[in-house]
Amino acid sequence: MIVCIAEKPSVAKDIARIIGATTPHDGFMEGNGYQVTWTFGHLCTLKEPNDYTDRWKRWSLGALPMLPPRFGIKLIDDNGIKKQFSVIERLMQHADGIINCGDAGQEGELIQRWVMQMAKASCPVKRLWISSMTDEAIREGFSTLKDQDNYQPLYLAGLSRAIGDWILGMNATRLYTLKYGQNRQVLSIGRVQTPTLALIVNRQKEIDHFKPEPYWVLSTIYRDTLFTATRGKFMSKEEGEAAFSTIADKPFTVKSVEKKNGTEAPKPLFDLTSLQVECNKKFSYSAETTLNIVQSLYEKKLSTYPRVDTTYLSDDIYPKCPSILAGLVGYDDVLNPLKGKALKKSKKVFDTSKVTDHHAIIPTGVPARGVTDMERNVYNLITLRFIAAFYPDCKFSTTTVVGCVEDVEFKVSGKEILSPGWRTVYMRDGKEQTTRGDDDEDTRKGDEERTLPSFVKGETGPHTPTLTEKQTTPPKYYTEATLLRAMETAGKFVEDETLRAALKENGIGRPSSRAGIIETLFKRHYIRRERKNLVATPTGIELIDTIHEELLKSCELTGIWEKKLRDIEHKKYDPAQFINELKQQITDIVNDVLSDNSNRHVAITTEEDFKKKPKRKPTQKKVAATKAAAEPKATVTSSAKAPAAPKATTASTAKAQTSAATTDDIAGQTCPVCGKGTIIKGRTAYGCSRWREGCSFRKPF
């Protein structure tokens, strides 16, 4: 009898149906020479410290570092898991062969290997390796089963990752909790979560300490077109006004008109991270929500394996693409132009050398029926991106016009779409549908793609100059979309697709684990959401401030670890060396922290703190408006863009709160902070009726 083991019951049932194991039993299906059973994700885990020695049962600084000479596994203490494992163990003990049908990735390999080890399976093992759950893919996978030994490096990488996380997490968490946690809260430290938190905290500090600086931009309007001076910013008003006076009442002359034709290839197919980024920007889905949705689409046979970090397809997928497209329902308007033609095969899409275990996420061609609205949204993104890959490049013309007034040079650029090509896929009602992003990217693209009037070199005429006062703006808070990109590129902000792909080798965390890491930071009360922004709590900030060991919070160093784990997977690095290095590193960290006599400690953030509305400073826009009312300006034209509001409460706000507190019953009075709302009585405190608009007034009873 051949025993097949899948990662969850739903997958096992699909496999059993295909191979003819149709007789149900308690914990498995049987038939046609097969017994198909399943796990529920992880059934086994690495042993805990107290499983090795009684000395590690109690949390003690003197017991650190905890470094077992040999790591072991154990069954997770759950009655349902124990019952299912007993079924698996009995089947495997009597099996003639085993087919590992686990999730085709590093974690899936680890899950099933541990179960087989715990069950003491001794028969030959084959591996089912598929990228989609369609009936065709399962049949093809069973006809081309692989030897288990082919995936030994994958298992060793997963095992090294698990042991490495145990060494660092178990030791550093106990170390920092005992040393700095005031015996009130566990301070969770992790190989990936701590550098990720450091990214958020460091960005927040940049914003909080940012001081806006004024600058002036000289521009002019000629023939209803805004030209901007090429010299850039004026850092003083006087300098800007001097330039303004130079060009006032002087004619504008066009010096040159240059046109260049260009092409724009379709956007790359989705890997998991880029799909999570797009869903966060377009639908405000969290990374975890997107992962769960695309996993559901995979299990419903509608899309391919989701936990991937490549945007390419292997060349052997190309012959299957016509049938995939033919199976799509509801996309006739964008599929009709492709019918009757040979599909384009671009090296930017099909490149076997860029694919390791799995290819990019694409639809399977199974009609999408019975899906939720959220699943439909994600499926639609995947499908349109796949269809667009076979469309021609977008052709455009870029026009750059340079003009001058006296010796001051001005420039404007515009872009005209000559042939939309793949952009047609995203057209609805004749207008291209854009993604609602967190920044001004879409606005900027819209400006670049405006069509300019026809200008002729040498033409001249009147113009209207403007001198605009602006302010430098702080960096933006991380959203889940921008944080995922930062994790992918080890903290470096990279827009270029090619460079970003190169940096993936040193990213922190795996595509499949990043969503869970972000959720862990929420659960530990290290970060909170404010609209789409990710904001560090006092606990998160102080934890990062307390950690002086760069090894624990450096994206670059963690990225190097991640690269070593990938190298283990590809037989380029020794797993034992990786573990030994981590053992030495945690030993050094323990010694450094134990020698710290600074009496530092970390603030505690509770659930109650999370329910409170955070206090904010007035935004720069409000401050600027107040100044403008008191001190009218004499500039030619002025406009200021408000930087993001820092987090602390200003002294004036505190004073206003104190003055309001002198009255016992203040409900109904005008808010002393914003001057617009009225004071209302809540369950535990007075607040402002405009709290949703950001007013920070709050007075506890």
Side-chain angles (χ1 to χ4, degrees), residues 50 68 148 161 163 167 193 197 294 304 367 399 420 436 451 466 519 546 610 612 631 641 662 672:
N50 55 281
Q148 170 100 326
R161 183 186 300 277
I163 292 175
I167 291 171
Q193 67 165 290
L197 176 61
V294 72
T304 56
T399 303
R436 175 172 51 82
T451 302
T466 62
E519 290 302 316
T546 301
F610 262 52
K612 297 174 185 175
E631 306 169 20
K641 184 175 180 181
T662 58

Side-chain angles (χ1 to χ4, degrees), residues 171-220:
N171 284 285
T173 295
R174 289 193 181 193
L175 177 67
Y176 275 82
T177 299
L178 293 168
K179 185 73 175 176
Y180 305 114
Q182 308 177 65
N183 295 319
R184 292 174 56 200
Q185 180 176 348
V186 172
L187 298 178
S188 172
I189 306 289
R191 184 179 56 85
V192 178
Q193 67 165 290
T194 306
T196 303
L197 176 61
L199 280 173
I200 298 170
V201 169
N202 293 337
R203 173 64 60 86
Q204 192 160 316
K205 286 183 176 181
E206 287 181 59
I207 296 168
D208 288 346
H209 298 146
F210 181 82
K211 294 181 179 178
E213 299 286 343
Y215 65 94
W216 286 259
V217 174
L218 182 63
S219 53
T220 192

Side-chain angles (χ1 to χ4, degrees), residues 240-250 405-408:
E241 288 181 338
F244 179 88
S245 62
T246 301
I247 67 171
D249 302 321
K250 308 283 176 57
V405 181
E406 294 291 299
D407 59 348
V408 181

